[in-house]
Amino acid sequence: MHSVKFTNNKLFYLDQTKLPKKEVWRSCRTIKSGWKAIKDLKVRGAPLIGVFAAYCICIHLDKLSKTKSIFFKQLKQSFDYLKSSRPTAVNLFWALDRLAKVSLENEQKTVKQIKKDIVKEAKDIHRQDIETCSQLSNYGATLIKNNESILTHCNTGFLATSGQGTALGVIFQAKKQGKNPTVYVDETRPLLQGARLTAWELKKKKVNSFLITDSSAAYLMQNKMIDKIFLGADRITALGDTANKIGTYSLAVLAKYHKIPFYVVAPLSTFDLNLKKGKDIAIEQRDQKEVKEILGQTLICPRETKAVNFAFDITPSKFIKAIVTDRGIVYPPYKKNIEKLIK
Amino acid sequence: MHSVKFTNNKLFYLDQTKLPKKEVWRSCRTIKSGWKAIKDLKVRGAPLIGVFAAYCICIHLDKLSKTKSIFFKQLKQSFDYLKSSRPTAVNLFWALDRLAKVSLENEQKTVKQIKKDIVKEAKDIHRQDIETCSQLSNYGATLIKNNESILTHCNTGFLATSGQGTALGVIFQAKKQGKNPTVYVDETRPLLQGARLTAWELKKKKVNSFLITDSSAAYLMQNKMIDKIFLGADRITALGDTANKIGTYSLAVLAKYHKIPFYVVAPLSTFDLNLKKGKDIAIEQRDQKEVKEILGQTLICPRETKAVNFAFDITPSKFIKAIVTDRGIVYPPYKKNIEKLIK
């Protein structure tokens, strides 16, 4: 189960906007169509965007100059262009910066060789993401006991990564270990990643699960139907503040009040130590149509109504019980322990 | 602006499931079609359901026996039948109990006269609901200052009542008084009463307003975009615990954490002093299709996915800053002050 393929220098992706109705694979032939696939959320999920963007560079290399100085200028432009697709998740920037670093470290080589090094690095990023998912899933599963009920938000499984996922990877791992988790999935308005993608993944993996509206989560917590919360992250600062899908902060405050452990699951590539606090993270505001028209199909309010559409929110670290990474579980104090982890 | 009409013993209602696309008025000719209109939320809003159910009895009176003993038996059956349409909002029960009381108080009269008394009482309930809305709107508007931003949930305006509304009535009153409120409206999944009905009412009344997804409310609170929260109630117990549309409890906890005043607005008929605590209130669970299929049109998850659909939740009184009623504003301690209010 995967959602991006790169074979013989050809890039394919599963169009996630068509799920769960249809499994449509598309070919991505140009950097421009790659940019649009990210922008339109056909390819989504912080770790997956990183892998996909790296491959978008690979399929674009043929179009770049053979003259080294021009090549480097064009390469930089390509990185900047892809980075402009989505501002919040850091993995996109991280993956492209890895390619940039490799190209600069091998500056003395021929352009042809540098291109080969870039492709190799992209494949490494892909391979590592798969491993990373296994590692953090293993760490995270140690936090789940038999027959627990887990709440999750948005999508963090094999659609959002190249591997088995982050938060959902942890749940799949617990399931594999025979712990029999029950999962409540927030539908995750406006774009319904929980209903469309997570419910679909849980069904594929035969995990006992229930779909709920986002605003029901508090009622379930009040009625002791939730033991733990696991969700992903798009960017984590040096202090542990976390940007994630809109609705995450709401769950964090509610979990704190109901004394329910709230776990963030993310690979090391999600940490951005250049930023200290959550408020330093750029929050993407998307088209108000995503709120007004459900999946671009059903208008739910008067045409003239204005809507506000913040795609992400910030959860201060004090709400987070622990951050599960591929290098182990990080507990507070986050500043110190994140520093130790990354070094 | 109104949503139920009773003229020449004929009952009409605005089909709220068709809004905001179309304004469809329907004739309600039988008690059975009235029951279904309530069940299917064509007629909705706690106070309006009370008024409408009373009129459903009126249009049914012709079908009842002229023999007094049989008449009373049939009348009781009709009350019980209508009461089975929706369990949570108490106004339905309150209105029908008023008709029952009038019929029993006039037991010595002819059946024909008793029927007349029932119709008179139903019209009184209607008239009083209009007055009630004006009164509580006036009280509530004193709580709003110039240029404040108000968050509201579900629909509590002229569609949910016979008058100008409860929580939304307060906002309309503030607007009339030139206080220039800005309103953020939760879309209110699963049935989108906020998007479909409240956004439509706010547009009609030219109130500056923005639609948001339910899970964005916390982010707006965190970013100091919300000054106050006003919403309605379906039932309020002797201790002030309040049943209201699912999502209300979530907002209450979030408001407490962000120190944002959380006001409940409801007529006296919403108080149920037979119940002490919120957990005594029956919570309606509705068809999972309402979660899985948006407005019965768009399936948002795999067909096999199971969903949980609690239609209401309970907000403990400790989260409520004050309850605005048609007899004034009630502050804690609620047990004592609600008792004083109702006496």
Side-chain angles (χ1 to χ4, degrees):
Chain A
M1 285 176 181
H2 48 271
S3 40
V4 160
K5 270 185 266 184
F6 184 72
T7 335
N8 299 324
N9 218 35
K10 285 200 166 62
L11 178 57
F12 304 90
Y13 64 87
L14 181 61
D15 182 346
Q16 299 196 28
T17 62
K18 299 296 173 197
L19 288 172
K21 274 194 190 158
K22 289 182 206 156
E23 293 180 36
V24 180
W25 279 87
R26 297 192 192 280
S27 166
C28 177
R29 292 198 187 85
T30 65
I31 191 170
K32 203 173 161 185
S33 80
W35 184 93
K36 206 161 165 3
I38 297 173
K39 182 78 182 174
D40 295 347
L41 312 182
K42 290 175 179 171
V43 175
R44 50 147 294 286
L48 189 71
I49 292 173
V51 172
F52 182 73
Y55 282 143
C56 285
I57 293 293
C58 296
I59 59 162
H60 189 59
L61 290 173
D62 274 354
K63 298 194 179 68
L64 303 189
S65 175
K66 280 164 190 152
T67 311
K68 203 181 275 185
S69 61
I70 305 178
F71 166 78
F72 269 100
K73 205 178 147 190
Q74 290 174 330
L75 188 63
K76 165 103 179 35
Q77 283 167 350
S78 307
F79 291 144
D80 290 346
Y81 174 64
L82 280 172
K83 285 179 182 179
S84 72
S85 59
R86 298 198 72 192
T88 304
V90 75
N91 316 62
L92 167 68
F93 300 83
W94 169 86
L96 296 173
D97 287 347
R98 268 185 66 168
L99 301 193
K101 195 169 168 235
V102 158
S103 68
L104 291 172
E105 280 171 358
N106 295 283
E107 207 183 348
Q108 77 295 349
K109 294 187 186 168
T110 63
V111 167
K112 200 177 162 189
Q113 189 54 49
I114 297 173
K115 288 181 180 177
K116 274 190 187 164
D117 291 342
I118 288 175
V119 173
K120 188 178 165 293
E121 185 72 4
K123 287 180 178 171
D124 267 358
I125 290 172
H126 189 181
R127 201 169 20 247
Q128 283 170 20
D129 188 43
I130 298 173
E131 276 174 36
T132 291
C133 288
S134 301
Q135 288 158 349
L136 53 77
S137 295
N138 268 319
Y139 285 119
T142 64
L143 298 168
I144 298 181
K145 295 191 189 127
N146 286 344
N147 301 313
E148 282 190 326
S149 288
I150 313 287
L151 177 72
T152 192
H153 190 70
C154 199
N155 174 262
T156 56
F158 52 83
L159 291 167
T161 63
S162 325
Q164 70 179 87
T166 55
L168 213 46
V170 168
I171 292 167
F172 293 147
Q173 197 65 21
K175 163 86 178 168
K176 265 189 238 165
Q177 294 171 353
K179 288 181 175 171
N180 189 34
T182 293
V183 181
Y184 290 92
V185 188
D186 277 354
E187 60 176 355
T188 319
R189 278 280 287 145
L191 294 174
L192 297 164
Q193 292 91 338
R196 293 189 303 109
L197 309 177
T198 301
W200 181 76
E201 287 198 31
L202 288 163
K203 186 194 63 139
K204 286 236 167 192
K205 296 273 195 180
K206 298 187 170 48
V207 180
N208 184 33
S209 55
F210 298 93
L211 180 65
I212 60 168
T213 59
D214 299 324
S215 82
S216 306
Y219 182 78
L220 267 57
M221 293 187 205
Q222 186 190 33
N223 287 280
K224 304 194 186 310
M225 294 167 71
I226 305 295
D227 295 307
K228 276 157 193 168
I229 300 173
F230 283 86
L231 32 67
D234 288 81
R235 195 181 289 228
I236 302 173
T237 71
L239 294 180
D241 296 346
T242 294
N244 192 44
K245 180 62 60 235
I246 187 78
T248 300
Y249 171 65
S250 183
L251 294 175
V253 176
L254 293 165
K256 189 84 168 181
Y257 177 75
H258 294 94
K259 299 188 172 59
I260 296 169
F262 182 93
Y263 296 108
V264 168
V265 187
L268 291 186
S269 56
T270 305
F271 288 83
D272 181 0
L273 302 193
N274 296 319
L275 301 185
K276 208 171 151 193
K277 289 189 170 177
K279 63 173 185 186
D280 300 333
I281 302 175
I283 294 294
E284 181 180 5
Q285 268 195 278
R286 293 180 61 88
D287 195 322
Q288 56 172 331
K289 273 188 190 169
E290 293 180 348
V291 174
K292 293 174 61 177
E293 297 172 9
I294 296 207
L295 305 178
Q297 292 167 30
T298 314
L299 180 71
I300 58 166
C301 64
R303 184 73 59 191
E304 307 87 330
T305 295
K306 290 170 283 180
V308 178
N309 185 12
F310 293 103
F312 299 91
D313 59 24
I314 305 289
T315 300
S317 63
K318 66 175 172 180
F319 292 101
I320 301 168
K321 171 95 176 173
I323 305 174
V324 179
T325 78
D326 41 313
R327 215 176 274 169
I329 303 174
V330 191
Y331 290 92
Y334 286 116
K335 187 177 176 305
K336 196 181 100 193
N337 290 339
I338 288 173
E339 230 174 72
K340 225 194 298 179
L341 179 86
I342 306 273
K343 262 179 194 165
Chain B
M1 285 175 182
H2 48 272
S3 41
V4 160
K5 270 186 263 184
F6 184 72
T7 336
N8 299 325
N9 218 35
K10 286 199 167 62
L11 178 56
F12 304 91
Y13 65 86
L14 181 61
D15 182 347
Q16 299 196 28
T17 62
K18 299 296 173 198
L19 288 172
K21 273 195 189 159
K22 288 183 207 157
E23 295 181 34
V24 180
W25 279 87
R26 297 192 192 279
S27 166
C28 178
R29 292 197 186 87
T30 64
I31 191 171
K32 204 173 161 183
S33 80
W35 183 93
K36 207 162 166 357
I38 296 172
K39 182 76 180 173
D40 295 346
L41 311 183
K42 290 175 178 171
V43 176
R44 50 147 295 284
L48 189 72
I49 291 173
V51 171
F52 181 73
Y55 282 143
C56 286
I57 293 294
C58 296
I59 60 163
H60 189 58
L61 290 173
D62 275 353
K63 297 192 180 70
L64 303 189
S65 175
K66 280 163 189 151
T67 310
K68 202 180 276 185
S69 61
I70 305 178
F71 166 78
F72 268 99
K73 205 178 147 191
Q74 290 175 330
L75 187 63
K76 166 102 177 39
Q77 283 167 349
S78 308
F79 291 144
D80 290 346
Y81 174 63
L82 281 173
K83 285 177 181 179
S84 73
S85 59
R86 298 198 71 193
T88 304
V90 75
N91 317 62
L92 167 68
F93 301 83
W94 169 86
L96 295 173
D97 288 346
R98 267 183 68 168
L99 301 192
K101 195 170 170 233
V102 158
S103 68
L104 291 170
E105 280 172 358
N106 295 283
E107 207 182 350
Q108 76 294 348
K109 293 186 186 169
T110 63
V111 168
K112 199 177 163 189
Q113 189 53 49
I114 297 172
K115 288 180 179 176
K116 274 191 186 163
D117 291 342
I118 288 175
V119 173
K120 188 178 165 294
E121 185 72 4
K123 287 181 177 170
D124 267 359
I125 290 171
H126 189 180
R127 201 167 19 245
Q128 282 168 23
D129 188 43
I130 299 172
E131 276 174 35
T132 291
C133 288
S134 301
Q135 287 158 349
L136 53 76
S137 295
N138 268 318
Y139 285 120
T142 64
L143 298 168
I144 298 180
K145 294 190 190 127
N146 286 345
N147 302 312
E148 282 190 327
S149 287
I150 314 286
L151 177 72
T152 192
H153 191 70
C154 200
N155 175 262
T156 56
F158 52 84
L159 292 167
T161 63
S162 326
Q164 71 180 84
T166 56
L168 214 46
V170 167
I171 291 166
F172 292 149
Q173 197 64 21
K175 163 86 179 167
K176 266 189 236 165
Q177 294 170 354
K179 287 179 175 172
N180 188 34
T182 293
V183 181
Y184 289 92
V185 189
D186 276 355
E187 62 176 354
T188 319
R189 278 281 287 147
L191 294 174
L192 298 165
Q193 292 92 339
R196 294 189 302 110
L197 309 178
T198 301
W200 182 77
E201 288 199 30
L202 288 163
K203 186 195 62 139
K204 286 237 167 193
K205 296 273 194 179
K206 299 185 169 50
V207 180
N208 184 32
S209 55
F210 297 93
L211 180 65
I212 59 168
T213 59
D214 299 324
S215 82
S216 307
Y219 182 78
L220 268 58
M221 293 186 205
Q222 186 189 33
N223 287 280
K224 304 195 186 310
M225 293 167 72
I226 306 294
D227 295 307
K228 276 158 194 168
I229 298 173
F230 283 86
L231 31 67
D234 288 82
R235 197 181 289 228
I236 303 174
T237 72
L239 295 180
D241 295 346
T242 294
N244 193 43
K245 179 62 59 237
I246 187 76
T248 299
Y249 170 65
S250 183
L251 294 176
V253 176
L254 294 165
K256 188 86 168 181
Y257 177 74
H258 294 95
K259 300 190 170 58
I260 295 169
F262 182 92
Y263 296 108
V264 169
V265 187
L268 291 186
S269 55
T270 304
F271 288 82
D272 180 0
L273 301 194
N274 296 319
L275 301 185
K276 208 171 149 194
K277 290 188 171 179
K279 62 174 186 186
D280 302 333
I281 302 175
I283 293 294
E284 181 180 6
Q285 267 195 277
R286 293 180 62 87
D287 195 323
Q288 57 173 333
K289 274 190 190 169
E290 292 180 348
V291 174
K292 292 174 61 178
E293 298 171 7
I294 295 204
L295 305 178
Q297 291 167 29
T298 314
L299 180 71
I300 58 167
C301 63
R303 184 73 60 193
E304 306 87 329
T305 295
K306 291 170 284 181
V308 179
N309 185 12
F310 293 103
F312 299 90
D313 59 25
I314 306 289
T315 300
S317 63
K318 67 175 172 181
F319 292 102
I320 301 167
K321 170 94 176 176
I323 304 174
V324 179
T325 79
D326 40 313
R327 214 176 273 167
I329 302 172
V330 191
Y331 290 92
Y334 285 117
K335 188 178 177 304
K336 195 181 98 191
N337 290 340
I338 288 173
E339 229 175 72
K340 225 195 300 182
L341 179 87
I342 306 271
K343 259 180 195 164

